Amino acid sequence: EAQVTQNPRYLITVTGKKLTVTCSQNMNHEYMSWYRQDPGLGLRQIYYSMNVEVTDKGDVPEGYKVSRKEKRNFPLILESPSPNQTSLYFCASTSKGEKLFFGSGTQLSVL
Amino acid sequence: GQQVMQIPQYQHVQEGEDFTTYCNSSTTLSNIQWYKQRPGGHPVFLIQLVKSGEVKKQKRLTFQFGEAKKNSSLHITATQTTDVGTYFCARSYNTDKLIFGTGTRLQVFP
């Protein structure tokens, strides 16, 4: 089954404790992206990747890192999480110009 | 110039009433996509519009792309409780980014 898999589904952490949210897709998509969703602000892009070893900043990259060492994986790293990074995060992938496939989301709370 | 304005932010309707959400851009769009997100779920692709004046239908959903390719609308005829969710439009930017509107949250009362 074609899918984007995100883990974990829920995460509660404390300020400053490094964390990684994993994302994997099985559709051989070149393009992958991370979004955060906050009430009233819609989906805002954090980082995206056009292919392996190619990543670029989205609209709200501050405080986040990503890597794309393999085509299928695109982890999101928060080196030192802060409370303003409490949000719902979505990973998505696509072949260029086509529809986005989203993961199920990760609800992150930073205390 | 990148932003897509989406209105309304919220809409509450009685089941059976119609619903419309609008996306507006100050610049010409190459295409526009629509997504639906059910409560607690993730966005799911509905449709993509590319041509000026294009109209596409999916059962009770009608999607339109403006003649000037600066606006788009999603109209739902005779809403049902299964239509509840948030509807997003999204525009392509620089061929490698997808910019989402702020979404319209639809609530349908039985």
Side-chain angles (χ1 to χ4, degrees), chain B:
Chain B
Q2 298 181 34
Q3 293 298 318
V4 178
M5 303 304 296
Q6 195 171 350
I7 55 170
Q9 192 172 5
Y10 303 100
Q11 184 85 57
H12 298 170
V13 299
Q14 203 73 36
E15 189 173 23
E17 292 181 338
D18 292 355
F19 159 77
T20 305
T21 174
Y22 301 90
C23 272
N24 297 301
S25 171
S26 57
T27 57
T28 302
L29 306 171
S30 57
N31 61 61
I32 196 149
Q33 296 183 355
W34 286 93
Y35 292 78
K36 177 185 178 180
Q37 182 181 23
R38 293 182 188 275
H42 58 276
V44 174
F45 175 83
L46 293 176
I47 210 158
Q48 176 168 276
L49 304 172
V50 179
K51 299 176 184 176
S52 167
E54 189 170 15
V55 178
K56 288 189 177 179
K57 293 193 174 187
Q58 290 179 352
K59 298 183 180 178
R60 293 177 296 103
L61 277 61
T62 302
F63 303 85
Q64 280 191 293
F65 204 7
E67 293 288 344
K69 299 183 74 173
K70 289 186 175 182
N71 55 70
S72 180
S73 65
L74 158 58
H75 179 82
I76 303 179
T77 303
T79 54
Q80 300 174 0
T81 54
T82 53
D83 296 323
V84 166
T86 302
Y87 294 85
F88 292 98
C89 61
R91 61 161 293 184
S92 296
Y93 178 74
N94 277 354
T95 73
D96 56 9
K97 291 178 65 172
L98 202 60
I99 307 292
F100 282 82
T102 49
T104 296
R105 194 165 83 191
L106 173 64
Q107 181 63 261
V108 180
F109 295 108

Side-chain angles (χ1 to χ4, degrees), chain A residues 88-106:
Chain A
L88 177 58
Y89 292 85
F90 287 104
C91 179
S93 73
T94 185
S95 286
K96 195 168 183 178
E98 301 297 319
K99 62 182 179 181
L100 276 174
F101 289 84
F102 282 84
S104 298
T106 297

Side-chain angles (χ1 to χ4, degrees), chain A residues 15-16 32 34 58-60 74 89 96:
Chain A
T15 299
M32 297 186 74
W34 277 101
D59 298 316
V60 288
F74 190 46
Y89 292 85
K96 195 168 183 178

Side-chain angles (χ1 to χ4, degrees), chain A residues 47-86:
Chain A
Y47 268 94
Y48 64 97
S49 169
M50 299 295 289
N51 215 323
V52 177
E53 301 293 357
V54 179
T55 63
D56 212 341
K57 295 178 180 179
D59 298 316
V60 288
E62 295 78 21
Y64 304 95
K65 282 176 56 178
V66 292
S67 68
R68 189 88 183 275
K69 296 176 182 175
E70 307 163 282
K71 198 171 188 179
R72 62 183 292 121
N73 295 323
F74 190 46
L76 178 70
I77 304 155
L78 283 72
E79 294 271 5
S80 182
S82 62
N84 64 13
Q85 292 179 298
T86 292

